[in-house]
Each structure stands twice: as C-alpha cells, then as structure tokens.
Amino acid sequence: MKATATPFDTCIAALIGDGPHRVWSLIVSLFGDMAQDQGAEIAGMQLSRITEPMGVKPQALRVALHRLRKDGWIDSRKLGRRSLYHLTTQGLKESAQATPRIYAPGPAQADSWHILIQQPLPQAELSETAQSLADDGYVPIARNTFLKAGPLPAHTFDCMALHGPDLRLPKWLRQQIGTPELAEGYDALLRNLTLLSRGLERMGTPTPLECATLRTLIVHDWRRMLLRHPDLPPDFFPEEWQGEACRAKVHDLLSRLPRPDLAVLADLQDGA
Amino acid sequence: MKATATPFDTCIAALIGDGPHRVWSLIVSLFGDMAQDQGAEIAGMQLSRITEPMGVKPQALRVALHRLRKDGWIDSRKLGRRSLYHLTTQGLKESAQATPRIYAPGPAQADSWHILIQQPLPQAELSETAQSLADDGYVPIARNTFLKAGPLPAHTFDCMALHGPDLRLPKWLRQQIGTPELAEGYDALLRNLTLLSRGLERMGTPTPLECATLRTLIVHDWRRMLLRHPDLPPDFFPEEWQGEACRAKVHDLLSRLPRPDLAVLADLQDGA
C-alpha cells in the first residue's frame, strides 16, 4: 500500500471499513459479477490484481481458490505459465440462481400470497418441514406458519393452506422480518456506498482494473445483506428501512463502474 | 307415566336416553321453536303438558321459568288464573340469532376465507384477543391463528391477515375441528333420531301436543350439538362425520311433526 491514501484507496476503505471479508466469498462475488459468460476465464494474476487493493494477501488468495476448487465451484487450466480460472457447471448454476435477485432493479412484487400452517407438533417434528420451507423461500411468520408469494403449490407438506390476494402486515411482523440487525446492516451499507460515491467523484475515470475491484466489493456487500432475508416487497419491512435506497445506490455505482472486458483485463500490464 | 310404554313414550325415550336435559335449556329450545312470532304467548299449563312427557317435574319447570325470567329471557303476564309466558326483546333477539343456523337447510358455504395470525406473545396476552375472535365466529387453528369465512374486516386486532379463495384442509385440522367427542355426539344423535323416526311410524298421526313435545326435544338435541362447533362446510370435518346426516333427519322429522298453532295448544283439554 502507498504511504498517502489515493482517492481509489479511500473508495476501497469505504467498503472494507467494516472488517476483513472472507476471501473465498469475495471470489464468489467476483466470478458472479464478471465471469458468468460461456467460456469466461480469469487468470490467477488478474485475480491477484483485483483483490490486492482490498488487502487480500497472495497466500490468502491461493487458499481461497483451493477451497473453491475443492468445493466444485471453480476449476482451472494451465496456459503456459498462467493459471486460468472459470466457474464449474455447479458454480455457474448457483451464480445464475443468485444473479436475478442481486441485479434486480427492484424488490419482489406479488399479486397474491399463500400461508402454510403446520400441525401443532413437538418442535423436533416441525423443524424438518420448517427447514424445507425456509430453503424453498418461505418467510417464517410463527413457529408453525410460513408465507410465500404466489398460488398454492401442489405439495403443501400436510399443512393447512390459504391463498389469496389480500395481505395485511402489522408493524410487529415487519419488525420481525426486517430485524434491527438487518436494518442496521443496511444503514451501514448505505453510509459506505455514499462514501464510495463521493470518493468516486474525486477519482476521475476509473481504470478497468479499478472497476473490477470496486464492483467486486459493491456486489459482495450488497449480496451479503440481500441474502440474509427473503426477497419481499418494501411493505414487509419497517419504516426507515434502507434496503431500497441501498439498491438504488448499488445500481448507480455499478453503472458508473462499467463491467470490465476480461480480455482487456488479461492484457493489462502491471501498472502499479 | 303409564305402566306400558306407548309408541309416543318410545319416541320420547329415544331422545332422552342420553340422560336428563337441563329444563331451562329445554324451555329456550321450546320458545325458540314455537314462540318467536310477534305477540306469541304460551301458558304455564301448556308448558307443563309439553314437558311432562319428557319427565320434567312441575317444581323443576317452575325453577326453570323463574331462572329464565331472572335472566331476562322470558317474561309473563297474568290472564285470569293463567300465567302467559313470552320471550323478552332480549330473548327474541338471541333466539333470532340462533334460528338461521338451527333451521338452515345446509351448512355454511363460503367463496373465500381469511386467516388472522397474532403476534407471538405470552399466552396471557394472546388470550383476550383469542376470546374476542372466538366470540366473533373465528375457528381456532393454532394457538395464535384463526380462520373465518369472507373478506378481511376493517379491524383485525393487529394480526397479520390473509384473505383469499383457495383453502386446503389437511386431515389433522379436520380432526381438530371435528373432534372425536363431537363426532360421537353426532353418531349418537343420528341413532336417536333414527329410533325416533321408527317410533313415529308406529304412532299414527301425532296430536299437536305430541308434536310440540317431540319438536322441542329434536330442536333441543340438534341445537346442543350444532352450537358446540362453528358453522362450517362439510370439508372442514373428518370423514364419516354425521352432522349433515343429522341435519337431514332433523328436517325430515320436523316436517312430519308440524309446528302446532299456539291457539290450538291453548284450547286443548287435558287429554291424558
């Protein structure tokens, strides 16, 4: 790192101020943002250049890439002295699943909803179904009650079920879904994105490599918040909820930081 | 009572075989069936003749009439030596409330339903709302969850609420609403009504007084079962549920036992 902070350093600091990121998770965000196209590959050297300004050490990057390869998320091939990394079929599939929500211009909307209510049973017997329902995108309302957008599915786990268009969400439920912890998380993200936005104004035109670094951090922080709660319309959340303000900021920043062409990135000389 | 049981006695026995009825409650059934018209009155002597075949003693009848007068359900006036009883405004109102359900040709039907879900709170805080909802005809589904036909009302007790047309009722819920105790009650009622029906066939044409006695018992037993559970379509109840078979039997029997004209009853000589 340089002795004097550049505007770019200030931008980075705005997003990593919350503490160190897990490197493997950053790499997931990076590939999800930049390498979902058919045949997309990123060289190890490029990954290093993109993540180094975030404070990721070469050894930490190697460990993360090893872990992701072992988990079947990425794979690599050698080309001369270079290692080229790409998402596996599994990695592509899971990235593609998250992508619509991460880049959606707005939150989920629905014309109708359905509720599933489990039989009153001991907690242990409820838990298995509850986990299946949570995995399937249901919002837990009470111990045995779950809500999801759209009509009743064919299989409703032996629950009582009601589907219809008229939903009323009291304050206690909005605060249960949008917990204070989540609300604070979005407050912090909005502050950080605003700082980043100001830093960008002082930076002049960012290089493709700078775009890659900042996009990775933005997508990563946004993704981390977003995936901590179900995708729901704004009226499911408490007043003063900054989730949608963050979304608008993310979209604005990503439009100011164009997604770099991987071929351009690969041809870059080390300009540091 | 006579030494040898007449067919009429057999009919009576079919309905009071389950044990003694509370006399005040029998009188409520009797007035509800026969004295809801404007200006309708029944003389004490007639009440005695209608209830005597059921085994109601004069003293028990006097106590019951006293209690109902004290509760504001009935009132009386003297006409010569006779006491004439009639429903009060309050008694008329409460009888009129129950009448549609008791004499309805079929169970409730609904095009849509709504669920209310209370905030997870300690039981004591839930109970007050739960009682209000039960009084308002809501079916308890779980500790904090209630179901009712039709659209959302304006006031939903700070509950989460969903309204719609598509309802799915699993077996456990049908057995929770139509409990084994209720199911056995209807099984017994169906047996009793069937016995009564056979007895009626052997009786020849019943007198107006006999009609009054048997109608009172039929309406009474039917009302007692009916008001132990909410008015719901048949698919809310378990298989083999005899509620609707009982309803059909009640309608058949009441049509064979025409409601006596109170003027005719009042003019009757003691024919016993």
Side-chain angles (χ1 to χ4, degrees), chain A residues 26 29-30 34 50 54 212-220:
Chain A
L26 275 171
S29 299
L30 190 162
M34 282 179 270
I50 294 168
M54 308 170 192
T213 301
L214 293 175
R215 285 185 69 94
T216 295
L217 282 172
I218 292 164
V219 167
H220 185 67

Side-chain angles (χ1 to χ4, degrees), chain A residues 21 24 53 70 118 254:
Chain A
H21 293 63
W24 69 265
K70 215 176 104 206
Q118 289 181 279
L254 293 183

